[in-house]
Amino acid sequence: SIATFKNGQLFDKYEYNVSTLLCIRTDDRALDTCINKISTNSNLKFMDYKTDKPIYLQIADFMCERILQSIWKADERIPSVRELSVTLAVNPNTIVKSFEYLESKQIIFQKRGIGYFVESNGLQRIREMYKTEFFNEELPNLFKKMKWLNISIDEISKKFNTI
């Protein structure tokens, strides 16, 4: 089941072959209501749109997370533009833009008249894409902070091994 909430009330619930519930965070009261209504589900996923990244890329990240978590598997059909539009409470054109982006990255593909599917090597492409992003964007900032705080690679390694 996938559920969306607006103003603290259940906005829409859609039954789909997905094992997680999705709650759109519109405000803290809606978030509390969502948690109270579905608190027993350990797979609850919150979509908290940020202003520093276009929404279509945030939705693409959401979709990639589903593939990384094996919720959407290779060669399986994913929710349609309309289904995701209703579920995520965004304009269908925004969803189309996310689909086009992921299609250009060869993560999903379209079977005309049937829907979109995860590419057979979509999982590997996502890992490569995120790994490149991590090395080019996040790791330099981490190293800079480590240098400022005088944190050694050994300290990081010890922490990493405890996870």
Side-chain angles (χ1 to χ4, degrees):
S1 292
I2 299 177
T4 57
F5 288 78
K6 282 188 176 177
N7 299 325
Q9 300 297 315
L10 179 63
F11 174 70
D12 192 21
K13 184 177 180 185
Y14 186 80
E15 295 296 325
Y16 194 77
N17 188 17
V18 176
S19 62
T20 62
L21 285 168
L22 171 70
C23 177
I24 305 301
R25 182 176 181 173
T26 54
D27 58 36
D28 288 335
R29 196 179 58 168
L31 180 63
D32 291 342
T33 303
C34 179
I35 290 170
N36 290 337
K37 288 188 178 189
I38 0 178
S39 61
T40 58
N41 189 313
S42 62
N43 293 326
L44 189 61
K45 170 69 181 165
F46 295 98
M47 196 78 186
D48 191 7
Y49 295 114
K50 296 164 182 50
T51 57
D52 63 335
K53 190 173 191 178
I55 290 176
Y56 83 94
L57 290 176
Q58 293 178 58
I59 293 169
D61 285 341
F62 165 80
M63 295 170 68
C64 287
E65 287 176 17
R66 295 293 168 270
I67 297 167
L68 286 168
Q69 296 169 349
S70 297
I71 295 169
W72 298 347
K73 295 175 177 59
D75 300 315
E76 284 188 0
R77 185 180 175 278
I78 63 174
S80 70
V81 169
R82 185 182 311 176
E83 292 164 350
L84 281 177
S85 174
V86 169
T87 300
L88 301 177
V90 296
N91 187 306
N93 293 331
T94 305
I95 302 294
V96 168
K97 199 168 180 180
S98 300
F99 277 42
E100 288 172 347
Y101 172 77
L102 293 176
E103 198 170 18
S104 75
K105 299 288 185 184
Q106 298 177 328
I107 293 169
I108 63 172
F109 68 96
Q110 182 180 21
K111 287 185 182 177
R112 230 181 149 86
I114 299 175
Y116 283 89
F117 294 77
V118 177
E119 285 277 2
S120 59
N121 61 349
L123 178 62
Q124 291 78 17
R125 290 190 185 277
I126 293 169
R127 286 184 176 145
E128 290 169 11
M129 184 174 73
Y130 281 179
K131 190 175 188 177
T132 300
E133 182 180 304
F134 176 77
F135 280 122
N136 293 337
E137 296 174 20
E138 295 178 37
L139 200 56
N141 289 330
L142 176 66
F143 286 152
K144 182 170 53 174
K145 287 182 182 179
M146 287 174 61
K147 192 172 186 174
W148 290 346
L149 301 172
N150 200 26
I151 298 172
S152 70
I153 295 291
D154 289 335
E155 288 178 84
I156 297 294
S157 181
K158 286 176 187 172
K159 285 285 187 187
F160 180 79
N161 290 329
T162 62
I163 296 175

